[in-house]
Amino acid sequence: HAKAAGKNTFLFYNSDMDSTGVDRLQLETDLRRALERNELLFHYQPQVDTRTGTIIGIEALLRWQHPEKGMIPPFKFIPVAEELGLISELGTWGLREACRQMVEFRKEGLSLDKVAVNVSALQFTTQFCATVKNILEETGLPASALELELTESIMMEDSHSTVRALQELKAMGLRLSIDDFGTGYSSLSYLSRFPLDELKIDRSFVIDFDKSDNDASLVVAIIAMGRSMKLELVAEGVETHEQFHFLTEHGAEVIQGYLFSKPVTADELRPLLVPGYFLEQIHAIRADTYA
Ligand code: C2E
Ligand code: MG
Ligand code: MG
Ligand code: MG
């Protein structure tokens, strides 16, 4: 479960050493330098519309190419960046980089509607809207091509300033998505109060529903609720044909998961950005059910 893993990671790094023997102080020093040294990069994971087989969006997922330790996944350093107060700086870099890459893809004539960027709750300060606005102006990306993935922890604030900030972003033309839906502890009422466009069904619900009737019922209920609230749905972490069948039959038509692609570099992504790229694979998956 993502939240539990996050908490454990946090505690883990509060001890003096991690399992690889890297001193926490060293990690802090390295992380502070990572930005200046250009060691951060994004991998991009396709979101596939199963009706057309086309990638309609990509999620930008942060990686740290450490000079000695190699590629470090986000769960190992984002909590540390949050704790050190580096997350806004890191998040601003990420927004600019994702927008820059998106503009480049579009100039190359590649077919792609939007890029989604994860936003940490701690990054969501009073400065945030102005930062986003500046980056859009600077890079020239239309606001409608940028989606922000927010977590329930942001909605939990439920203060007037949160509502105002989300409305301001919405008014600028950005797309707002709620990530890891159902894993937080916030009240569902935020779904109607906040101007959201999309709901991402968390991987933890997708993972075992073929083995558990309860998980299956939850997925069906989430899809029904999302549809009735006119939210677009994206199912995360889809790996198997069974999951594909279940989700699409119940109305979750956009799928992000290893079934289609792991997160990949910009260069690896380019050849996939052709309308209908996944159509043949989808036909084969559909044929597989009825075999
Ligand atoms: P997330 O936003 O929920 O992103 C989805 C995660 O699920 C990604 O992990 C992705 O690689 C993984 N995933 C996607 N499909 C599958 C699948 O079929 N099977 C499996 N096993 N995993 C799948 P990743 O890249 O390790 O990122 C983990 C989390 O780190 C993200 O979860 C997000 O919360 C956070 N994160 C990543 N990049 C950023 C960033 O730029 N800023 C912030 N604040 N958080 C980020
Ligand atoms: Mg996300
Ligand atoms: Mg998620
Ligand atoms: Mg997440």
Side-chain angles (χ1 to χ4, degrees), residues 230-247:
K230 307 271 188 295
L231 294 168
E232 288 163 43
L233 292 161
V234 176
E236 287 194 286
V238 178
E239 296 186 359
T240 68
H241 289 194
E242 288 69 26
Q243 292 165 348
F244 174 99
H245 294 310
F246 187 88
L247 289 159

Side-chain angles (χ1 to χ4, degrees), residues 157-266:
E157 293 294 318
D158 196 16
S159 62
H160 287 295
S161 64
T162 308
V163 179
R164 257 204 315 273
L166 293 175
Q167 282 167 345
E168 190 178 334
L169 292 163
K170 194 66 225 150
M172 281 163 58
L174 275 93
R175 292 175 43 91
L176 303 178
S177 173
I178 178 84
D179 202 358
D180 305 337
F181 180 75
T183 63
Y185 297 97
S186 59
S187 143
L188 283 178
S189 60
Y190 73 81
L191 285 177
S192 62
R193 270 203 308 283
F194 296 157
L196 303 169
D197 300 286
E198 178 189 281
L199 183 160
K200 296 189 83 175
I201 305 167
D202 191 66
R203 190 165 76 91
S204 59
F205 299 116
V206 170
I207 233 165
D208 277 333
F209 66 70
D210 38 351
K211 297 180 199 89
S212 145
D213 287 347
N214 285 341
D215 279 359
S217 305
L218 262 178
V219 170
V220 173
I222 291 171
I223 294 171
M225 189 187 60
R227 283 166 70 103
S228 74
M229 299 193 70
K230 307 271 188 295
L231 294 168
E232 288 163 43
L233 292 161
V234 176
E236 287 194 286
V238 178
E239 296 186 359
T240 68
H241 289 194
E242 288 69 26
Q243 292 165 348
F244 174 99
H245 294 310
F246 187 88
L247 289 159
T248 54
E249 271 162 28
H250 287 89
E253 316 264 22
V254 178
I255 281 181
Q256 175 182 348
Y258 293 178
L259 176 65
F260 291 120
S261 173
K262 292 194 170 184
V264 294
T265 64

